[in-house]
Amino acid sequence: MDLRIFTEPQQGATYDTLLAVAKATEDLAFDAFFRSDHYLAMGSGDGLPGPTDAWITLAGLARETKRIRLGTLMTAATFRLPGVLAIQVAQVDQMSGGRVELGLGAGWFEQEHTAYGIPFPKEKFARLEEQLAIVTGLWETKPGDTFDFHGTHYDLTDSPALPKPAQAKIPVLIGGHGASRTPKLTARFADEFNMPFASIEDSERQFGRVRAAAEAVGRKADDLVYSNALVVCVGKDDQEVARRAAAIGREVDELKENGLAGTPSEVVDKIGRYAEIGSRRFYLQVLDLADLDHLELISAQVQAQLS
């Protein structure tokens, strides 16, 4: 059972803060450090000191960590041209010694696009499909060969398809609640399917759709990793849970309903219920990045029980 730390830096975090969390992630034996890819704070926060770029952040962390996996949930396809993204991710993979994973999504937050002059196309899913084909196609092209792609939204001719990642295959993550197109896209391109912020029942239903889509294209359903992203709020007792919930502006009952919240035993029990429907990896959305004691508690009393 993999536990991964998942951060939302657009809510307000410096690179130094993210570095401290990443180093704690490594020291405390978590599997990976992931971050969102957003340029605007959500909700009532001011987002100070301002956004950090996902792949610039991960490039820095690639040189300052040694073991943990590094990746995005999810890079927005609207933010980068697919050829540029393939170069960026391959370079960071080289810089990390082969520890990078790419979560790629269609993009959805229109306000951050208008705030920074980024085009927000009406048809996003078709662009995502072409981006996945291009990024994976560039990486898979043999050295010395060239890559061509002629689609509706992107056109590549005689690309040298360089640089190559350090890994033979960078794991690709796709996620979401879509009932039809998302499972089909996952079956074609992904190594992992992530169900974000969903109940056990909804996760089971979506996992079933993805499994069926994989089998329909001739893949073994179990070749995919099935994972969940959930907010985490753990305390050694009820008082500490309440304090941590208040620090992130959430209610305890709501967190217990919709996330992984409570005492270590409560959280281990809920993870076990997700595991029963096929989830094998958890992205723990940590919203208070200054509270490294929280990570220590999860490592010592949740992760230790799971392992």
Side-chain angles (χ1 to χ4, degrees):
M1 184 70 67
D2 292 337
L3 296 187
R4 297 182 158 190
I5 301 302
F6 171 41
T7 62
E8 301 276 5
Q10 76 279 354
Q11 299 304 104
T14 65
Y15 173 75
D16 286 340
T17 298
L18 296 172
L19 175 59
V21 175
K23 286 188 172 180
T25 298
E26 185 155 90
D27 292 343
L28 295 169
F30 291 104
D31 180 63
F33 173 95
F34 270 61
R35 60 157 292 164
S36 59
D37 192 5
H38 287 293
Y39 292 132
L40 205 64
M42 302 171 197
S44 58
D46 56 23
L48 293 175
T52 51
D53 181 83
W55 286 101
I56 290 177
T57 298
L58 294 175
L61 298 180
R63 306 302 290 180
E64 300 196 71
T65 58
K66 294 181 174 61
R67 179 190 57 81
I68 52 173
R69 308 289 295 175
L70 301 165
T72 51
L73 281 183
M74 300 283 185
T75 286
T78 50
F79 286 176
R80 299 168 180 86
L81 295 171
V84 175
L85 180 62
I87 291 169
Q88 290 173 320
V89 178
Q91 183 178 0
V92 178
D93 193 54
Q94 291 176 356
M95 293 168 69
S96 71
R99 294 184 283 123
V100 159
E101 304 186 11
L102 172 64
L104 188 60
W108 61 270
F109 190 18
E110 185 173 5
Q111 189 177 350
E112 69 185 334
H113 293 73
T114 58
Y116 286 98
I118 303 168
F120 189 70
K122 182 177 180 181
E123 176 49 75
K124 293 180 288 297
F125 201 89
R127 289 174 181 270
L128 171 62
E129 184 173 5
E130 290 192 13
Q131 284 221 0
L132 285 162
I134 292 166
V135 170
T136 57
L138 287 168
W139 291 339
E140 291 167 359
T141 299
K142 295 178 181 179
D145 290 347
T146 58
F147 176 80
D148 292 82
F149 182 91
H150 307 293
T152 302
H153 304 285
Y154 304 103
D155 199 286
L156 287 75
T157 301
D158 291 334
S159 172
L162 297 171
K164 297 303 182 193
Q167 297 175 87
K169 186 180 191 312
I170 291 180
V172 172
L173 293 72
I174 295 175
H177 297 253
S180 178
R181 293 194 296 179
T182 296
K184 290 178 181 177
L185 210 58
T186 301
R188 285 182 60 195
F189 295 108
D191 302 282
E192 177 178 338
F193 176 76
N194 179 262
M195 188 62 168
F197 312 111
S199 68
I200 295 169
E201 294 75 20
D202 288 345
S203 297
E204 183 174 26
R205 188 176 304 112
Q206 187 72 331
F207 288 169
R209 294 183 184 123
V210 172
R211 295 178 71 88
E215 291 171 353
V217 297
R219 294 184 67 180
K220 294 180 180 178
D222 287 339
D223 285 347
L224 283 158
V225 174
Y226 299 86
S227 64
N228 285 89
L230 294 160
V231 62
V232 66
C233 181
V234 186
K236 62 180 183 294
D237 52 35
D238 291 342
Q239 290 74 23
E240 190 166 85
V241 175
R243 176 178 65 78
R244 287 201 163 106
I248 60 174
R250 304 280 284 268
E251 298 293 330
V252 172
D253 289 345
E254 178 268 322
L255 286 169
K256 288 187 176 183
E257 175 70 21
N258 298 312
L260 297 173
T263 62
S265 60
E266 289 178 292
V267 171
V268 168
D269 177 70
K270 191 164 186 181
I271 287 174
R273 285 184 277 139
Y274 275 95
E276 288 174 359
I277 58 98
S279 190
R280 293 292 176 266
R281 181 173 290 161
F282 293 86
Y283 294 82
L284 307 180
Q285 186 196 43
V286 177
L287 296 177
D288 185 354
L289 299 182
D291 187 3
L292 299 183
D293 290 343
H294 192 197
L295 301 188
E296 290 183 10
L297 177 66
I298 296 168
S299 175
Q301 297 193 33
V302 175
Q303 183 167 242
Q305 291 190 57
L306 295 170
S307 61

